[in-house]
Amino acid sequence: MKASYFPGCSSSEGGAKAYGSSSQAVSKVLDTELVELEDWNCCGSTPYSSFDELTSLALSARNLALAKKKGKDLVTPCSSCYVMLNRTNAYLKQYPKVKAQVDEALAAGGLRYNGTVRVRHLLDVFVNDIGYDAITAKVKKNLAGLKVAAYYGCQVVRPKFGFDHPENPQSLDKLIESLGGEAVSFPLKSRCCGGSLVISEENIALDLSRKLLDSARSNGAECIATVCPLCQTNLDVYQSRVNKKFNTDFKIPILFFTQLMGIAFGLGEKELGFKTNIVSAGKVLAKYA
Amino acid sequence: MTTTTFEPKIVGFLCNWCSYTGADLAGISRKKFAPNVRVVRVMCSGRVEPSFVMKAFESGADGVVILGCHPGDCHYAEGNYKTLRRYPLLKKTLAQLGVEDERVRLEWVSASEGDRFAAIVNEMTEQVRRLGPFHQNRGKNVKA
Amino acid sequence: MEERRIGVYVCHCGSNIADTVDCAQVAEYAKDLPNVVVSRDYKYMCSEPGQNLIKDDIKQNKLNRVVVASCSPRMHEPTFRRALQDAGLNQYFFEMANIREHCSWVHTDRAAATQKAKALVSAAVRRVYHHEPLEAREVPVNPNVLVMGGGVAGIQAAIEVADSGNLVYLVEKEPSIGGHMAMFDKTFPTLDCAACILTPKMTIAGQHPNIKLLSYSEVEDVSGYIGNFKVRIKKKARFIDEDKCTGCGRCQEICPTKVASEFEQGLGQRKAVYKPFPQAVPNKVVIDAVNCRHLKGRAQGKDICRICQKGIPNKSIAGCETGAINFDQKDEILEVDVGNIIVATGFQQFDPSVIYQYGYGHLPNVVTGLQFERISNASGPTNGEILLASGKKPEAVAILHCVGSRDANYHKYCSRVCCMYSLKYSHLLREKLPDADVYQLYIDMRCAGSGYEEFYERLQEEGVNFIRGRAGEITDTAESPEEKDKLIVLVEDTLVRRKRRLPVDMVILSCALKPRADTEKMARTFGLSRKADGFFLEKHPKLDPVATVTDGVFIVGCCQGPKDIPDTVAQASAAAARALALISKGKVEIEAATATIDEEHCAGCKVCIELCPFKAISYDETKKVSRVNEAVCKGCGVCVAACPSGAIKGKHFTDEQIMSEIEGVLV
Amino acid sequence: MEQRKNFVEEISAIPGGEGIRLCIQCGTCTASCPNADKMEYTPSEIIALARAGYRHEVLSSHSMWYCLSCYLCTVRCPRGINPTELMHALESIATKEGLSPHHRTLTPAMYRSFTDFVYSLGSLPELGFMTWYYLLTNPLRGLRLMPVVLSLIRHGRLSVKARRLTPEGTKQLKAIVEKAEALGGAH
């Protein structure tokens, strides 16, 4: 299967390169080719929608218009892109006025968009199109005994564009189990990591991240699997800051769920890019690597 | 919108038990909608003969809506199923007489669906307005 | 053909019509319509002076047809038909133009509305021209009454009808009557115990000579019409000979199979052969075929257990001594004739597990209102002691209002009773656990009812912590030592604009009252409509709240919408009175608008016989024509529309009447 | 009175803001908000103030700038209001009118530097963005973050070169964005 692919800034050449490469590699194993959308632009993320609604919608609309030529679905591994693109679809449907303006803006770039592209999160595609059994079938190294906290964050399940329950999602837990791993109970699985406020209001973000790390550890998790570049960054890159601020001693590897799948599929460092994980996953994954 | 907007005339055949009550409910709850649909009450949508619809067009209607109870809710057990079965036939005949498909519409409206009634009236009015008047000269060859 | 002399009357309905429709102009317009001899507009046509206008004109101006342009015929057609009769005119020489519900109330542009009103009037005038005199038919009313549902509403209605000397079939799908009220502990605001006031009524209903109690039964089909319904009832196999069973309860003592008790809301257990609760009426057990070992074994051709029947001989434990247990019993079908039907099927509690963030189903000690009724009930699983799952007493309890009510995600409506029963819970908690903190989280306190606001005040005095805010979530993730092993309720105290975390041991969810899952099926069986919220639709929300679109079928209690016990009982009495009024009149007038077949033109093709939903048409072999039985015909007109030779005429909805109406609306 | 009316209408007219009239002040949004206790006014209070016509107080407050866009309030609101988008709407009005409280929260500046890059490049080079942002706000804080930045570089997580669109793509994007802004956007 071929799928039109929207990496988003951080998963392409940004801080979450490893997410991008592991997504590509894992998909290949699952006989799915992620064809990157040519000349896509940044979705604008929350900052743009808070700053200039119309332009933010136009930014996403351009991507959707480009994707329209490539087929029905547009797949992204980034929760923020997922929301921004979906939200644009919803707005164009719900608000004719807005649609008229966006159409006009697109026209200025010689584009048209009729709202037909379906925006999917990579996790959605894996569990609902490919399916757990097909995934299990590709497992080379069963992750038996690995205790993982399945962390969804917010925007993959909220608002309700979601393919999973907005308060109690299950798909990632089931995915981890289909790799042989154990998804530990993780009550905060869909709570916020602090998002981009880690930059402007660091203390707030660090506090939220601490709660997540705390809950994961107290439920016996050896590592946390994420489906969003920003969640990974906050929990991984800023883990040292959390330890500093709250003098805690967290040493919890934060993996992209595609890295975890890669390990189980027997893929190597080149594709999975573990060296980019600040908190080393080496120990935890030693027995599987 | 300019003052010269075309105001279509639409005849609505409403069954007494569900749809007419639903239309009353729309009134009781003061829903506002287009004045273009004029209601003719029948006991059951099953009573609506093709000749009624033809008559409507012949007498200057630009559109017709037939509203009955939801399938299964018919006050007369199954009258509306009869309507449903007769409907395609009606559509065919009208097509032969050059009546556009969008000028005639069959919908189910229950006694509690005042909002739905209002919505259908507005949709239908817009739909027929887009089509423009059903010209008399064409009206002529429609004989009840 | 006699000359047509038509009178037209345009009603202002105060300002209801006159505000949007120029009534004078419409009346003026009608003057020029063919055969109109008088045309007037008047403030209130339904008033006595209004009706007198018509009566006088009929006498002085020799009117023989009348059109009133006012409200919906569903509202006042009977009123004006009567006026015609009083003036010696056949009531069917009347036609109504609905310029209120279908015009003035739904349009804003005065010109357009007036234009439409004219069209509707011209249609009515053209139609009434072709009206023919019809005689309304009268049929006798069967004095028996069916009451569907044995909760407090059904019991009340049944007793009142039965006391008047008429036979009542009281049908209840559960093994015992009593409904939800039988589960309650106390009742607000008087705090008298529910059982104490309900069980006497249950006993009366169970023993009343005029009440045929059919418990563990379902209505399968209803046919016929007001005064003459035929009802098919399925009496589900109880596997117990009711005449022999004394309700001694020995069988349920020795039955080895335990399952969760529905009556105890899953908090307690019952046996496979059981009485739902000690005061059950009828005082008979029932065997639950799904769980009974013997009946399950039978399915696989095995003969096991039978302990209830045979006892355990080697332990010299005797089984049923009256030989009441009958594993061969089958479902029974009864056909009964009744003249009126009272539907009292009640409600169903909203299942809060769908609101995941409230923790019901995965966090211990989060309970529903009904579960708390049982916990607090002296005959309940904890003998009325308020205990946690651990058996400890709670030190703090939170009560959450509006769970599933006033919520766009579930039910938009207010369930009306939750504020009050939540107050009742607070009282029971303060009474039984004086040291415990009680928090009541409300959006608005709605205490409209006699003694209700006073009850609220009393609970304020009793020291309940009222917090104005709706809980966002309930979590067991502690953020401080004092939150350890507690349920933490997250809420904004909107009066001080602070987000608070309340550590408690028990949370009670005051759940919405919602339409029963089988409401749609019931609606079809009894010919009822439903409101947008799913409850049964009444004929008129204010003036006819217990009648329905189907004459002779009434709705009472919570199947019509959430309400408290006093309102439920009042509705039950109201419906009983309506039924009795019809019974004492003895006969009922039914629509004369039926179909007739002109034997001259009937080709005898029998198409109509196939189509008629009521088997009202039969074929006359000798004359080779079809014939309509007008007593059975309901005048739907399906046959009229279908008759290839145009031999069938739908009285009062003839082709020419409808055709001329079509011309009229299009002027 | 006039003002109250205008502000509510102004907000209702913005996509996502239309629900404001429906609020029953139950506080579910606040109770669900991870940041409510850090906000100057709680989310429900913001709505109450807006409806009461306290336009300036609302737009100059830092409450909405603390919104994490986690959408918990949105999926839970019993009136089907969308407080998250409402916050975004308020942010964009505040930005247009230069009311965002820079002295009390750095989020507006952070968003600004973010959008500047997206505006000019069509993509977001994190290193550039961060540097730019810290230059705009507080270079010292930037320095304190050096360890983090270094570890990022060490782990190859900060690429210096920014991803570029093709010249045609850049041109097209510019045209679209400029049109959008001409149609009532900001900048």
Side-chain angles (χ1 to χ4, degrees):
Chain A
M1 163 175 99
K2 263 186 185 212
S4 188
Y5 174 64
F6 186 91
C9 297
S10 42
S11 307
S12 62
E13 295 173 29
K17 276 201 219 67
Y19 194 18
S21 59
S22 55
S23 297
Q24 291 281 11
V26 167
S27 302
K28 201 167 276 103
V29 175
L30 295 167
D31 312 312
T32 305
E33 188 189 345
L34 300 178
V35 186
E36 180 164 342
L37 186 66
E38 271 168 49
D39 231 7
W40 57 272
N41 58 268
C42 171
C43 70
S45 193
T46 311
Y48 228 117
S49 68
S50 310
F51 173 75
D52 175 352
E53 185 67 271
L54 185 56
T55 311
S56 134
L57 293 167
L59 285 169
S60 292
R62 177 177 178 268
N63 292 319
L64 292 165
L66 295 177
K68 186 187 67 184
K69 307 171 185 158
K70 301 287 173 207
K72 193 163 167 308
D73 287 7
L74 180 61
V75 183
T76 178
C78 171
S79 299
S80 182
C81 302
Y82 178 68
V83 163
M84 296 316 288
L85 294 167
N86 263 313
R87 174 175 175 282
T88 304
N89 267 337
Y91 273 33
L92 295 181
K93 201 137 156 242
Q94 196 181 344
Y95 306 105
K97 256 222 207 78
V98 174
K99 184 174 188 320
Q101 291 178 312
V102 171
D103 286 346
E104 203 175 334
L106 284 178
L111 290 173
R112 284 179 63 255
Y113 178 59
N114 48 8
T116 49
V117 173
R118 192 170 57 142
V119 180
R120 314 277 308 275
H121 192 285
L122 188 62
L123 176 62
D124 176 15
V125 174
F126 281 174
V127 302
N128 292 318
D129 294 8
I130 294 168
Y132 299 106
D133 299 343
I135 290 169
T136 309
K138 300 286 183 185
V139 171
K140 288 214 179 71
K141 299 206 186 85
N142 188 300
L143 300 185
L146 184 62
K147 290 185 160 52
V148 186
Y151 179 50
Y152 299 77
C154 309
Q155 301 194 330
V156 70
V157 288
R158 288 188 304 272
K160 290 167 192 158
F161 313 121
F163 54 91
D164 206 340
H165 194 287
E167 301 264 3
N168 181 33
Q170 292 298 330
S171 47
L172 183 55
D173 297 68
K174 294 211 199 94
L175 176 64
I176 288 162
E177 262 140 31
S178 67
L179 300 174
E182 178 192 341
V184 301
S185 146
F186 187 30
L188 302 189
K189 56 163 70 162
S190 70
R191 292 298 182 261
C192 186
C193 66
S196 58
L197 264 64
V198 76
I199 299 168
S200 53
E201 300 289 346
E202 191 182 4
N203 290 340
I204 287 175
L206 294 182
D207 187 34
L208 293 171
S209 292
R210 175 186 59 89
K211 289 175 184 165
L212 293 172
L213 294 164
D214 205 25
S215 166
R217 183 164 67 179
S218 57
N219 282 288
E222 302 166 85
C223 63
I224 298 177
T226 74
V227 299
C228 170
L230 191 51
C231 299
Q232 200 277 346
T233 307
N234 283 10
L235 293 177
D236 182 23
V237 179
Y238 286 80
Q239 199 171 121
S240 56
R241 304 279 296 168
V242 170
N243 286 334
K244 191 148 175 288
K245 182 169 164 46
F246 301 97
N247 55 63
T248 47
D249 58 351
F250 294 114
K251 259 195 161 338
I252 307 177
I254 314 297
L255 310 173
F256 294 108
F257 80 111
T258 44
Q259 289 180 309
L260 206 55
M261 292 173 80
I263 285 289
F265 292 172
L267 300 174
E269 169 63 25
K270 196 173 124 298
E271 298 96 339
L272 306 182
F274 280 108
K275 72 168 189 344
T276 66
N277 295 55
I278 309 287
V279 179
S280 161
K283 256 216 207 64
V284 175
L285 298 179
K287 51 181 181 294
Y288 309 100
Chain B
M1 289 232 178
T2 64
T3 47
T4 61
T5 319
F6 159 57
E7 288 301 338
K9 284 185 182 165
I10 300 166
V11 177
F13 295 100
L14 273 60
C15 92
N16 178 61
W17 304 99
C18 297
S19 310
Y20 195 92
T21 319
D24 279 359
L25 183 63
I28 292 160
S29 32
R30 308 295 199 278
K31 296 261 171 278
K32 301 291 176 225
F33 52 85
N36 304 60
V37 171
R38 278 108 204 245
V39 170
V40 172
R41 177 166 67 134
V42 290
M43 292 314 272
C44 175
S45 56
R47 173 68 179 94
V48 179
E49 298 180 29
S51 58
F52 293 177
V53 180
M54 316 258 186
K55 174 69 174 177
F57 284 111
E58 184 198 354
S59 322
D62 303 297
V64 170
V65 275
I66 304 167
L67 305 182
C69 312
H70 288 269
D73 288 351
C74 177
H75 182 77
Y76 303 106
E78 51 201 15
N80 51 6
Y81 285 119
K82 311 283 188 300
T83 322
L84 198 51
R85 250 186 273 137
R86 210 180 290 128
Y87 187 59
L89 217 85
L90 169 64
K91 283 280 204 169
K92 221 151 131 227
T93 339
L94 290 169
Q96 287 157 357
L97 297 167
V99 182
E100 298 93 328
D101 195 57
E102 301 88 334
R103 291 193 188 273
V104 183
R105 188 162 162 189
L106 171 67
E107 289 283 355
W108 311 131
V109 173
S110 82
S112 57
E113 295 177 322
D115 302 18
R116 183 171 154 75
F117 175 76
I120 290 174
V121 168
N122 285 332
E123 285 168 30
M124 190 63 183
T125 307
E126 272 321 303
Q127 190 173 320
V128 177
R129 182 174 283 135
R130 276 197 298 278
L131 286 172
F134 180 72
H135 300 297
Q136 277 320 306
N137 54 358
R138 283 162 62 203
K140 290 285 172 289
N141 54 43
V142 184
K143 275 272 161 279
Chain C
M1 180 156 78
E2 66 157 337
E3 179 214 4
R4 300 285 195 261
R5 298 180 58 82
I6 305 174
V8 177
Y9 302 85
V10 183
C11 179
H12 294 205
C13 193
S15 59
N16 281 306
I17 295 171
D19 273 358
T20 5
V21 171
D22 184 336
C23 300
Q25 204 190 106
V26 176
E28 228 9 73
Y29 162 85
K31 281 204 174 82
D32 307 330
L33 293 172
N35 304 87
V36 173
V37 292
V38 222
S39 177
R40 315 176 186 278
D41 60 304
Y42 185 73
K43 209 148 191 53
Y44 290 106
M45 281 311 296
C46 58
S47 67
E48 195 170 355
Q51 298 185 46
N52 289 337
L53 271 181
I54 303 176
K55 293 179 189 168
D56 298 345
D57 285 339
I58 291 175
K59 295 196 180 67
Q60 280 141 35
N61 298 306
K62 308 265 166 306
L63 298 185
N64 51 23
R65 300 286 188 283
V66 175
V67 168
V68 174
S70 58
C71 48
S72 167
R74 306 186 60 86
M75 186 80 195
H76 272 309
E77 192 170 51
T79 317
F80 295 116
R81 281 182 168 181
R82 238 177 284 114
L84 265 70
Q85 264 176 326
D86 297 350
L89 215 56
N90 181 289
Q91 56 167 323
Y92 284 87
F93 284 148
F94 171 76
E95 179 65 12
M96 211 160 167
N98 182 347
I99 61 167
R100 191 179 74 176
E101 284 82 349
H102 289 194
C103 191
S104 69
W105 275 352
V106 291
H107 305 320
T108 40
D109 178 323
R110 191 173 171 82
T114 307
Q115 194 47 45
K116 181 175 178 181
K118 287 179 186 170
L120 294 174
V121 169
S122 90
V125 169
R126 282 172 168 75
R127 188 190 207 279
V128 81
Y129 179 97
H130 299 285
H131 280 199
E132 292 155 358
L134 299 176
E135 286 321 314
R137 296 165 300 139
E138 281 186 340
V139 296
V141 170
N142 182 315
N144 302 343
V145 175
L146 174 82
V147 175
M148 177 69 224
V152 61
I155 292 171
Q156 179 75 16
I159 292 173
E160 292 201 16
V161 173
D163 282 347
S164 74
N166 296 288
L167 178 65
V168 176
Y169 298 97
L170 176 54
V171 179
E172 167 59 50
K173 67 174 194 340
E174 298 297 326
S176 167
I177 57 173
H180 282 101
M181 186 173 172
M183 302 176 186
F184 297 169
D185 179 13
K186 301 283 196 300
T187 57
F188 63 79
T190 47
L191 296 173
D192 37 11
C193 105
C196 315
I197 55 178
L198 182 65
T199 38
K201 277 182 174 291
M202 288 166 62
T203 323
I204 295 171
Q207 295 167 352
H208 203 296
N210 293 334
I211 296 180
K212 176 110 182 61
L213 174 54
L214 299 165
S215 64
Y216 211 51
S217 305
E218 284 163 7
V219 168
E220 290 213 310
D221 182 59
V222 176
S223 59
Y225 51 94
I226 179 168
N228 304 271
F229 293 104
K230 270 205 177 313
V231 185
R232 194 166 82 243
I233 301 167
K234 177 166 92 183
K235 219 173 166 309
K236 291 178 282 183
R238 211 180 178 110
F239 303 104
I240 297 294
D241 181 335
E242 291 190 43
D243 304 329
K244 293 193 186 147
C245 175
T246 61
C248 69
R250 170 189 291 277
C251 53
Q252 63 181 8
E253 281 162 34
I254 59 179
C255 172
T257 310
K258 286 193 179 135
V259 292
S261 155
E262 299 82 1
F263 186 81
E264 299 295 353
Q265 294 295 297
L267 295 172
Q269 288 186 314
R270 62 160 171 87
K271 299 296 188 67
V273 54
Y274 71 106
K275 244 189 311 177
F277 53 101
Q279 312 92 324
V281 173
N283 182 19
K284 315 275 175 197
V285 296
V286 55
I287 295 180
D288 148 16
V290 181
N291 294 296
C292 168
R293 298 182 187 197
H294 177 71
L295 288 170
K296 278 197 297 192
R298 263 195 182 199
Q300 297 122 23
K302 292 188 239 121
D303 179 4
I304 47 174
C305 193
R306 281 183 189 268
I307 287 174
C308 51
Q309 198 172 32
K310 308 186 310 236
I312 312 170
N314 54 11
K315 292 210 189 102
S316 69
I317 298 174
C320 177
E321 285 164 332
T322 63
I325 290 163
N326 169 9
F327 288 111
D328 302 317
Q329 206 173 61
K330 300 260 169 299
D331 295 352
E332 271 177 74
I333 300 293
L334 300 73
E335 290 263 0
V336 302
D337 297 321
V338 301
N340 288 280
I341 296 174
I342 297 174
V343 177
T345 47
F347 70 96
Q348 167 179 329
Q349 180 181 252
F350 170 76
D351 170 9
S353 61
V354 300
I355 308 182
Y356 182 84
Q357 62 269 32
Y358 281 174
Y360 182 76
H362 58 98
L363 294 179
N365 300 313
V366 177
V367 300
T368 67
L370 281 178
Q371 284 180 321
F372 184 76
E373 297 279 1
R374 297 313 301 158
I375 292 173
S376 174
N377 193 308
S379 70
T382 57
N383 307 318
E385 257 199 291
I386 297 173
L387 300 175
L388 302 169
S390 63
K392 285 213 239 55
K393 284 189 164 60
E395 291 161 5
V397 180
I399 303 168
L400 274 52
H401 288 220
C402 303
V403 176
S405 309
R406 302 187 68 191
D407 188 336
N409 302 307
Y410 307 100
H411 302 288
K412 274 180 175 246
Y413 56 82
C414 164
S415 290
R416 286 190 62 201
V417 288
C418 319
C419 285
M420 290 310 296
Y421 73 65
S422 299
L423 286 172
K424 177 185 77 184
Y425 297 163
S426 286
H427 169 81
L428 294 168
L429 286 158
R430 296 298 293 150
E431 184 180 62
K432 298 186 178 191
L433 303 168
D435 304 329
D437 294 319
V438 179
Y439 300 94
Q440 205 166 319
L441 279 56
Y442 68 97
I443 305 174
D444 299 294
M445 287 304 293
R446 295 183 171 176
C447 309
S450 139
Y452 289 11
E453 186 66 21
E454 294 81 345
F455 190 59
Y456 178 20
E457 190 179 347
R458 170 176 173 183
L459 268 293
Q460 290 179 297
E461 281 163 1
E462 289 182 13
V464 174
N465 306 295
F466 288 93
I467 296 181
R468 196 202 167 282
R470 178 177 177 273
E473 71 181 84
I474 295 160
T475 171
D476 59 354
T477 308
E479 288 185 7
S480 64
E482 55 274 16
E483 287 182 356
K484 191 143 183 0
D485 305 320
K486 295 270 185 184
L487 294 165
I488 305 109
V489 182
L490 275 58
V491 61
E492 176 182 28
D493 189 330
T494 60
L495 299 180
V496 293
R497 294 299 182 186
R498 291 264 185 357
K499 180 176 172 181
R500 295 177 62 179
R501 296 175 60 94
L502 309 169
V504 299
D505 304 298
M506 178 188 265
V507 173
I508 305 170
L509 304 177
S510 297
C511 297
L513 279 59
K514 60 178 267 191
R516 298 192 60 87
D518 62 1
T519 306
E520 187 169 1
K521 184 166 154 285
M522 287 290 170
R524 297 218 170 131
T525 313
F526 293 98
L528 302 171
S529 294
R530 300 171 66 183
K531 290 175 279 201
D533 59 17
F535 292 101
F536 293 135
L537 177 73
E538 57 280 349
K539 191 166 196 171
H540 189 285
K542 292 165 199 63
L543 301 180
D544 213 346
V546 296
T548 68
V549 289
T550 306
D551 294 338
V553 178
F554 304 95
I555 47 174
V556 302
C558 288
C559 67
Q560 179 259 352
K563 56 181 63 63
D564 56 19
I565 295 169
D567 287 6
T568 298
V569 170
Q571 279 198 334
S573 307
R578 293 288 295 275
L580 290 174
L582 200 69
I583 293 168
S584 64
K585 189 168 173 220
K587 51 187 170 23
V588 57
E589 221 175 62
I590 56 172
E591 256 305 330
T594 57
T596 53
I597 298 180
D598 173 353
E599 301 190 353
E600 293 307 303
H601 295 89
C602 176
C605 68
K606 300 189 188 171
V607 167
C608 50
I609 299 177
E610 292 308 308
L611 288 175
C612 179
F614 309 104
K615 308 178 182 59
I617 311 179
S618 53
Y619 188 65
D620 180 331
E621 287 297 343
T622 55
K623 287 187 151 182
K624 300 271 179 273
V625 293
S626 301
R627 198 169 283 123
V628 177
N629 172 354
E630 298 198 19
V632 185
C633 173
K634 286 203 201 167
C636 66
V638 169
C639 59
V640 186
C643 179
S645 48
I648 311 183
K649 185 166 121 189
K651 292 187 198 160
H652 207 54
F653 285 87
T654 64
D655 286 4
E656 59 182 358
Q657 286 167 359
I658 295 174
M659 292 288 191
S660 40
E661 188 176 357
I662 296 170
E663 277 173 18
V665 292
L666 289 166
V667 292
Chain D
M1 191 57 209
E2 235 345 85
Q3 223 211 351
R4 186 199 75 77
K5 208 159 152 290
N6 294 342
F7 194 32
V8 172
E9 270 163 19
E10 184 181 353
I11 293 171
S12 314
I14 303 169
E18 59 277 346
I20 183 169
R21 285 193 175 87
L22 300 178
C23 176
I24 51 173
Q25 288 293 304
C26 67
T28 303
C29 45
T30 303
S32 308
C33 179
N35 270 356
D37 38 14
K38 320 259 188 341
M39 292 176 176
E40 168 173 25
Y41 306 117
T42 66
S44 58
E45 191 175 13
I46 282 281
I47 291 179
L49 284 166
R51 294 201 297 195
Y54 293 94
R55 192 172 191 282
H56 187 272
E57 288 79 349
V58 168
L59 293 178
S60 57
S61 84
H62 65 38
S63 296
M64 53 269 198
W65 299 102
Y66 278 51
C67 171
L68 294 155
S69 305
C70 74
Y71 290 95
L72 262 180
C73 51
T74 300
V75 295
R76 290 177 181 176
C77 174
R79 282 299 217 215
I81 306 171
N82 190 333
T84 311
E85 303 297 355
L86 183 67
M87 291 291 176
H88 294 168
L90 292 172
E91 284 165 338
S92 50
I93 303 181
T95 308
K96 284 201 189 93
E97 308 201 357
L99 288 173
S100 28
H102 292 278
H103 51 295
R104 289 182 301 151
T105 167
L106 296 173
T107 308
M110 187 265 285
Y111 282 5
R112 182 54 186 255
S113 17
F114 186 103
T115 51
D116 284 349
F117 270 94
V118 176
Y119 178 78
S120 42
L121 293 183
S123 70
L124 188 81
E126 281 138 354
L127 181 59
F129 155 58
M130 301 263 261
T131 337
W132 181 233
Y133 159 73
Y134 285 116
L135 287 176
L136 277 181
T137 54
N138 176 348
L140 291 175
R141 259 187 92 257
L143 286 181
R144 263 192 276 109
L145 272 178
M146 256 352 236
V148 173
V149 178
L150 288 176
S151 71
L152 282 173
I153 296 172
R154 208 173 331 111
H155 289 78
R157 281 182 78 147
L158 270 188
S159 47
V160 183
K161 76 167 176 50
R163 172 178 171 275
R164 293 280 187 171
L165 277 66
T166 62
E168 310 74 56
T170 316
K171 232 167 100 266
Q172 183 182 53
L173 183 62
K174 270 256 177 302
I176 292 173
V177 169
E178 272 157 15
K179 188 62 173 176
E181 292 182 341
L183 289 167
H187 250 96

